[in-house]
Amino acid sequence: FSGPFTDVVTTNLKLRNPSDRKVCFKVKTTAPRRYCVRPNSGIIDPGSSVIVSVMLQPFDYDPNEKSKHKFMVQTTYAPPNISDMEAVWKEAKPDELMDSKLRCVFEMPSENDKLNDIDASKPAPVLNTSKQDGPMPKPHSVSLNDTETRKLVEECKRLQAEIMKLTDENRHLRDEGLRLRKVAHSDKSGSPTALALRDNGSNSLPSLLVVIAAIFIGFFLGKFIL
């Protein structure tokens, strides 16, 4: 009997009559409460066979405990015009009885057997036969080569130099604007020349900021396009 023994485990016995007479059979066990036998007795015709199902009831399996359960298949020739099976066994003489003894063996499936059962239950992988032999096409690369990288680095350096130059000019103009505002503030007469210079210095700042913003926008657009 193969475990696990958490449910009913069934083992079949095949009894065959090789003689030219009818044979009565009966199946006995040393643990009748643990097993259910169907059929447990009957008649086998000459040259025929019968399947006997032995059902082991669920129990707590202990691998360290050796099984002491045994079965015995007892047979005798059937008398003519048989009508009562119980009477046949009661009236049978010891030398007319034949028996075969069987010992029960309990086995738990090993881990390898479990893995094989799981692998057998899995569907076989389906191979894609539409694939052609040969190297797989390389995906489109978004990396830049050495020439483009060098151009991009040079462009970045040039833009950084432009930004530094514009920053210095902006600082110079800001200082000049502050100086002109001081001069205009200190000029009590409020001459038109001072006012013109002040307006000129203040108007140059927005234009410079527009130029810097345009350079940054062009830089980022050029980077994404490349």
Side-chain angles (χ1 to χ4, degrees):
F1 297 90
S2 297
F5 302 100
T6 56
D7 201 353
V8 176
V9 181
T10 302
T11 298
N12 294 326
L13 296 177
K14 184 177 181 181
L15 306 181
R16 181 175 177 273
N17 179 9
S19 68
D20 56 357
R21 297 173 55 183
K22 290 184 178 183
V23 171
C24 297
F25 75 91
K26 180 168 59 174
V27 181
K28 297 181 178 181
T29 178
T30 57
R33 296 183 179 181
R34 299 286 295 275
Y35 300 91
C36 182
V37 182
R38 294 291 184 274
N40 60 353
S41 63
I43 299 176
I44 308 176
D45 293 329
S48 299
S49 59
V50 64
I51 300 296
V52 178
S53 297
V54 181
M55 290 163 279
L56 172 63
Q57 303 305 307
F59 72 102
D60 294 330
Y61 174 70
D62 185 1
N64 297 322
E65 181 181 356
K66 294 184 179 180
S67 174
K68 298 180 180 179
H69 300 170
K70 295 180 181 179
F71 276 82
M72 183 176 65
V73 180
Q74 202 169 39
T75 58
T76 184
Y77 287 117
N81 301 324
I82 181 174
S83 58
D84 188 0
M85 287 291 296
E86 292 297 329
V88 171
W89 296 109
K90 289 180 180 180
E91 297 173 359
K93 298 178 181 180
D95 57 351
E96 296 176 348
L97 298 177
M98 295 169 287
D99 57 70
S100 298
K101 296 181 180 179
L102 303 172
R103 184 174 61 87
C104 296
V105 177
F106 300 145
E107 292 181 350
M108 288 292 290
S110 62
E111 294 297 329
N112 292 333
D113 294 338
K114 292 180 180 178
L115 293 176
N116 293 334
D117 293 340
I118 294 175
D119 293 340
S121 63
K122 291 182 179 179
V126 179
L127 298 177
N128 187 1
T129 57
S130 63
K131 290 185 178 180
Q132 297 180 355
D133 296 335
M136 295 294 292
K138 294 182 179 180
H140 179 67
S141 177
V142 296
S143 61
L144 300 175
N145 55 32
D146 294 339
T147 303
E148 294 176 345
T149 303
R150 194 181 306 112
K151 290 181 179 180
L152 185 59
V153 172
E154 292 176 356
E155 185 68 18
C156 290
K157 291 181 178 179
R158 187 182 65 80
L159 290 173
Q160 288 177 357
E162 291 283 344
I163 292 172
M164 293 178 63
K165 180 179 178 182
L166 291 173
T167 301
D168 293 338
E169 293 180 358
N170 186 28
R171 188 183 305 109
H172 176 71
L173 291 173
R174 186 171 62 250
D175 295 340
E176 185 66 21
L178 292 174
R179 187 182 66 79
L180 291 174
R181 282 198 292 272
K182 290 179 180 179
V183 171
H185 181 71
S186 61
D187 190 359
K188 296 180 181 180
S189 61
S191 61
T193 304
L195 292 175
L197 291 174
R198 183 177 60 186
D199 294 339
N200 187 20
S202 61
N203 290 334
S204 63
L205 288 175
S207 300
L208 182 59
L209 293 177
V210 171
V211 172
I212 295 175
I215 291 175
F216 273 108
I217 292 173
F219 170 72
F220 284 111
L221 287 177
K223 183 177 181 180
F224 281 116
I225 291 174
L226 291 174

